[in-house]
Amino acid sequence: GENVGLHLPTLSVQEGDNSIINCAYSNSASDYFIWYKQESGKGPQFIIDIRSNMDKRQGQRVTVLLNKTVKHLSLQIAATQPGDSAVYFCAENSGGSYIPTFGRGTSLIVHP
Amino acid sequence: EAGVAQSPRYKIIEKRQSVAFWCNPISGHATLYWYQQILGQGPKLLIQFQNNGVVDDSQLPKDRFSAERLKGVDSTLKIQPAKLEDSAVYLCASSRGGGQPQHFGDGTRLSIL
């Protein structure tokens, strides 16, 4: 079946570096994508979203890039801080009712 | 605005027992989701409601799981009887509608002995 996957299960960076978290999706019908951050013991928290009619969207310190040709999504975090340490999930939404599918997640570890 | 409320926070039961989880979404959010998150994995959608109607329940094990959202606001998820493999965190989320960002509660951690 269709699935959303992440290339790297763990990413370690130094404080102040830029982080890039990648996500591959396989459902070409997906048209709405969301990145979530999940800290231990908490529910996922919305970071940023992008629709399929865009290829880039920027937020505060975060940028999401969408490449529909290769079905790839990335989350860029600028000047990574220790508070950014968490598991990051991408989710794709497909169909008229936007049924969501989450990937496995990438654990981001930021070293002070 | 108040976030998504879930209770209980933790639950421990023996296999073959029953358990129920409760969710109160953000006020005005028409869409409500229940997810199962097994340790080390991403959330898996169990059921999606739009108001009090079911949009998708294709991954809900209907022989043992049931969910309802009778008045289009609060929702309950029930497991009867529980199996060892049901040990997981059960997350509830809500959104203004489909295709909108979801807001999650902190979940109920279920342990089956």
Side-chain angles (χ1 to χ4, degrees):
Chain A
E2 302 283 3
N3 65 79
V4 175
L6 295 177
H7 294 307
L8 296 172
T10 302
L11 177 64
S12 292
V13 301
Q14 289 296 128
E15 181 178 1
D17 286 353
N18 296 331
S19 302
I20 300 176
I21 301 172
N22 295 302
C23 176
Y25 67 95
S26 56
N27 187 350
S28 57
S30 293
D31 52 8
Y32 177 55
F33 304 87
I34 310 173
W35 280 101
Y36 292 93
K37 172 186 179 183
Q38 187 173 29
E39 296 174 291
S40 181
K42 301 280 190 181
Q45 177 186 5
F46 170 84
I47 301 172
I48 192 167
D49 59 358
I50 189 167
R51 300 191 187 272
S52 58
N53 61 350
M54 302 174 68
D55 53 20
K56 180 179 180 179
R57 191 163 189 225
Q58 288 185 293
Q60 187 176 12
R61 283 201 306 119
V62 295
T63 301
V64 56
L65 299 178
L66 175 62
N67 186 330
K68 294 180 288 294
T69 303
V70 296
K71 299 187 185 70
H72 184 267
L73 195 67
S74 69
L75 176 70
Q76 300 177 4
I77 305 174
T80 314
Q81 302 167 1
D84 295 327
S85 294
V87 177
Y88 289 80
F89 294 98
C90 68
E92 61 176 317
N93 293 257
S94 58
S97 298
Y98 294 95
I99 310 299
T101 303
F102 279 72
R104 235 188 85 203
T106 292
S107 176
L108 176 65
I109 300 171
V110 182
H111 300 281
Chain B
E1 63 182 1
V4 175
Q6 288 190 249
S7 66
R9 192 77 174 89
Y10 303 93
K11 190 73 177 179
I12 301 173
I13 62 172
E14 296 185 346
K15 60 183 179 183
R16 291 187 289 273
Q17 287 188 322
S18 302
V19 63
F21 313 123
W22 174 81
C23 174
N24 185 16
I26 292 173
S27 178
H29 281 195
T31 310
L32 185 146
Y33 312 79
W34 282 103
Y35 292 88
Q36 179 192 62
Q37 186 174 26
I38 293 172
L39 186 65
Q41 299 182 17
K44 183 182 90 171
L45 180 69
L46 294 175
I47 189 166
Q48 178 176 339
F49 291 96
Q50 180 73 17
N51 297 308
N52 61 350
V54 175
V55 173
D56 185 87
D57 63 357
S58 58
Q59 298 193 86
L60 187 73
K62 298 179 186 63
D63 58 334
R64 299 184 301 106
F65 286 64
S66 64
E68 59 183 16
R69 193 186 184 199
L70 293 176
K71 297 182 179 178
V73 181
D74 292 8
S75 178
T76 56
L77 175 70
K78 297 179 182 177
I79 307 175
Q80 180 181 6
K83 292 184 176 181
L84 293 175
E85 68 213 48
D86 299 332
S87 292
V89 175
Y90 290 84
L91 294 163
C92 179
S94 69
S95 65
R96 294 190 182 278
Q100 297 294 323
Q102 295 176 38
H103 299 260
F104 283 80
D106 287 335
T108 296
R109 183 175 296 276
L110 176 65
S111 297
I112 312 294
L113 303 179

